[in-house]
Structure formats: structure tokens, C-alpha cells
Amino acid sequence: MSDIPGSAKPAIAHGMRLQWEPAQEAHVLLYPEGMVRLNSSAGAILSRCDGVRTLTDIVTDLERTYSVAGLGDDVTAFVALALDKHWLELRE
Amino acid sequence: MSSATPVGHGLAAPNAQVGMSQAPRSASAPGPPLWLLLELTYRCPLHCVFCYNPTDFANTGPELGTGDWIRVLRQARALGAVQLGLSGGEPLAREDLEPIVAQAHTLGYYINLITSGIGMTEARIRALKVAGLDHIQLSFQDSTRELNDFLSSTRTFELKSKVAGLIRQHGYPMVLNVVLHRLNIDHVGEILEMAEALGAQYVELANTQYYGWAWLNREHLLPSRAQLERAEATTRRFRERVGTRMQIYFVVPDYFETRPKACMSGLGSVFLGIAPDGTALPCHAARMLPGLQLPNVRESDIRAIWYDSPAFNRFRGEAWMKEPCRSCPERARDFGGCRCQAYLLTGDADNADPVCDLSPHHHRVTEAVARAEQAAAAAAGGVREQALVFRDHRISIAVVPGDPVRR
């Protein structure tokens, strides 16, 4: 899990779309004939995965936004899970 | 459901819920129609023997116009609809498909085109891409040209291969759907090889569901248990070879199961279908259900249809259930199964889906399987009692429950 380098740039995978759905009060990931509803933390992480920011940038941004330290492991674990499920892909 | 470890103050554990089903809700407070399916037309150049379209489709009213469809899209999106299926019939038969897609994209739908590929050209796929189409699901009848053309009663295999190429070139994920039945299930290995050659990323091997034209042809189409087991074994071996490069979904025919499918995640839960004539459907086949006064988008808006109409409330909650469902601990998982199947096989849509072996009517499913095995053996011996019925507007007739081959 923790073998994703901090310099990796995660992005929403090709063919998937992340959007905010007011009716569900949640971010959702949309893909062919399916949907993943994200809780607020998962939404906060994936909405920062733009293929430009590095994993380190994303952790720093989340820690600042939510005024907490030590999010690195949890964010990395979720990014690993999302990569495994092909929700995310890594950009160079 | 999947979750990672807790994140601490102010940020809960990241968590994601997969699938279109929603948290259980009471009948009085249904969630939004997350999955909207527009059956844009019943017109189709193919004549597939397993089509789920109503067998009396030629007797339905005129197709909605572009403005009607766009009104439906706006109203459903306002309620929270987000996954959009465009099907039919063959949706490419609609010349206004591109403006419908463009409007849906602007509204924020994820748009799936479910097509046989007939009518797809370089110009159209380019226009659909520009309009914002997200995904194309291409159906194949079989891996060989002979059977593909026979089962759909056309010569289309080469055209489909060409369309598969267009789909890839335009950067769409390659999603193939092949409907399986007795006449092609033994070709599952060749079908998967064809899918691999076409660069498919997802393949859905969908065993026929027996509604509409497939119901008429059930005795010809139901595979034997031995065929099914061989096909599953072949699929398993193929999966081991290709790994994650190709994802294969094998949808088992429910006649061979002992618990019913959670049809539509419960009627009136997430799915809203609109038929070509504007009839609003709580499931694809709901037109057949007796006494269900299906509303029409020409007369009512989507909010009233979804939340207030008797038809969409008819099977919400559990009050409609009979025994053994009513007291069954599994009722919240499968909602009693498929209402249409209950009606077709028992004559009463409130009964348990007879696929369930707790249903007193389960023998109607096992008998159908046994009859089909006998028919297969007879056909192999050169005896064929009934001809396959190809989907055709000239022989479009109503289906009655009971014997699927009643004439």
C-alpha cells in the first residue's frame, strides 16, 4: 500500500467521472452503467486527484483544510484502494 | 462496501458504496430514480429471437419527439437521475440521437448507449463523442458470422466488427454484450476469443432472461445444465489466462438458481424506464403486468410519476408481498424477485418469483428446464416441433401468462 511514492500524481481513471450530486449530497464516481457513492472523506480525497497534484500535495492540502496532522497513511491507503479498483490511475 | 482506516478529527474514514442500490428506505420515502433508461424507439433492423421488448410493440403509440425526450431528461435530472441508458429497439434509428445526447451531457448525466451497432458510422460516432456520449455497449449475438446472422435474422457480423473498431479508435472503453442461450452457449470459448481479438475490456455474457420474444422462444433458448456448467468452466479458464486485462461478467440464467434476483433492486427503488411511446416503466417488462396503470410522460411530469403514481408505488415496501416472501428473512435482500416472472409463471405478480425454491410454484421453473432439455434432445435428433419466432412488427402479438408457446 505504502509503496505509492509521494511524487505520484493520481488522476480519475479514463472512462470514469467524478461529480457532486446534490440529490445524494455526495460525490459520486460514474462509470459504464455503474456508480460509486463516496462519503465526504473519500470525496475530499478523489476530488483532489487531478493528475497535476502529487500525493504529497494532496495530503498537505487535506491536513490544512481539515486542520489535522498525520493523514498520510490513511490517504495513501485509500488511494491504493482506488487504484486497485481502477477508479484512479497514476500520471507521470 | 469498502473502507480504509479511520482518519481522525474532522475527516471520517474514506468510504465508498458501490452500486446503484440505495440504503433501505420506507415505501413512503423512496429515493430518486438514479438510473434512467430511455427506450428511444422500438424500431430495430435486427429480429433477435431473445429480445425482451414487448411482443406487441407494434401496437404501442407513436414515438415521443425530441422535445418530449429532452423534457424527460430535465425533469428526471432535477430529481437526481444520473446514469442514463439510451436503448430501444436500436437507438441509432433515431436521427435526433445526437441532440438528445448533447442535452443529457449538459445536464450532467453519465450517458450509456446500448446498441447493436447497426447505423453507427464514422460521422455519427464523431458527432456522439462531441455531444458528450460517455460509453457504448455493443451487442453481439455470437462469435461466428453464420450464427450471429441467423439469430438476429440479418447479415451484420462484419458491420459489428467494424463498429467495434470505431469504438476503440474514438477512445471509448470496449464493452461487449453477448446474450447467451442454448444455440450459442457452447461457443463461449470462441466468443471470448473474439472479444479479446476486438480489444474488449469488459464482456458481459448475459444469459437470456425470459421476457418478451425470449419468452415465446423459451423452449428453444433455455440451455441444459450441462451446457451451462461447461460454459462456466470455459469462462473460468479464460479468466485465469487473461487476468485483469479483460473483465468478464457471467450472468447465470436465473432458471437454474434457487434464490431469485433482486430485480431492479426492488420496483420503484432506483430504475425508471421510458418506453418509445412515453409510457413510464418501473422495470423493462412492466407493460405486461395486469392492472398496473402505467403513467405516460405526455400527461404527467417525472416527479408525479416517480413519487405519486399508483403504478410506481405498487411494489414499494413489503405490504404487497404474499407468503412465503412476507415472513421471509431474505425479503429485504431480493424483494421477492421479479414481478414479471412471478406473473408469467404463476399468473399473479404478487407471488414469490418461482425461481425461489421456497415458492410453492418452483416446480414451474424446474419443469421448464426439464422440458427444454427434452426439446434439445429431440432437436438434436432432427425433431423440431416449433419454429423460432423472430422479433418482427408483422407478427407482433400479445403474450399471455402460462404456456410460453401457446398459439
Side-chain angles (χ1 to χ4, degrees), chain B residues 186-252:
Chain B
D186 293 330
H187 301 213
V188 122
E190 289 89 340
I191 289 169
L192 288 169
E193 280 163 25
M194 172 200 74
E196 189 183 19
L198 291 172
Q201 289 153 276
Y202 305 88
V203 180
E204 186 175 314
L205 298 170
N207 271 280
T208 303
Q209 311 232 20
Y210 295 96
Y211 309 102
W213 296 84
W215 171 255
L216 283 183
N217 290 310
R218 190 181 65 177
E219 299 215 359
H220 290 289
L221 298 180
L222 253 183
S224 69
R225 196 174 286 278
Q227 280 185 304
L228 185 63
E229 283 165 6
R230 278 200 302 274
E232 286 182 298
T234 304
T235 304
R236 254 196 317 275
R237 280 195 303 275
F238 192 88
R239 271 202 197 107
E240 282 161 17
R241 183 167 72 70
V242 298
T244 56
R245 189 151 46 86
M246 197 165 119
Q247 294 191 41
I248 307 163
Y249 305 95
F250 190 94
V251 184
V252 174

Side-chain angles (χ1 to χ4, degrees), chain B residues 329-392:
Chain B
E330 296 175 44
R331 68 187 185 281
R333 190 189 312 160
D334 58 35
F335 317 103
C338 171
R339 298 305 85 226
C340 299
Q341 200 144 270
Y343 173 62
L344 281 174
L345 290 163
T346 77
D348 183 348
D350 291 348
N351 277 334
D353 183 336
V355 159
C356 184
D357 65 4
L358 300 171
S359 157
H361 302 99
H362 182 60
H363 63 95
R364 302 208 176 149
V365 171
T366 53
E367 284 162 11
V369 171
R371 266 204 312 278
E373 301 238 3
Q374 284 160 15
V383 183
R384 176 161 282 185
E385 283 181 33
Q386 264 135 0
L388 277 166
V389 185
F390 289 94
R391 180 196 194 272
D392 192 302

Side-chain angles (χ1 to χ4, degrees), chain B residues 13-25:
Chain B
N15 178 299
Q17 220 180 342
V18 181
M20 297 296 285
S21 62
Q22 315 196 52
R25 300 192 193 228

Side-chain angles (χ1 to χ4, degrees), chain A:
Chain A
M1 273 206 195
S2 52
D3 58 358
I4 305 171
S7 60
K9 294 172 182 168
I12 302 300
H14 181 71
M16 307 212 72
R17 201 161 82 210
L18 177 75
Q19 69 186 33
W20 174 256
E21 281 299 294
Q24 301 179 57
E25 295 179 332
H27 276 101
V28 298
L29 261 181
L30 300 164
Y31 55 91
E33 294 176 51
M35 185 179 80
V36 179
R37 186 185 299 132
L38 304 164
N39 77 355
S40 59
S41 308
I45 297 167
L46 291 192
S47 59
R48 287 167 171 78
C49 294
D50 54 10
V52 176
R53 280 181 270 196
T54 65
L55 185 54
T56 306
D57 295 339
I58 291 166
V59 171
T60 308
D61 183 15
L62 286 166
E63 288 177 339
R64 195 169 45 228
T65 305
Y66 293 93
S67 310
V68 272
L71 291 182
D73 286 352
D74 289 322
V75 173
T76 306
F78 186 72
V79 166
L81 174 88
L83 284 166
D84 187 54
K85 292 191 176 293
H86 304 286
W87 299 341
L88 289 177
E89 58 197 23
L90 295 180
R91 298 276 162 81
E92 287 310 306

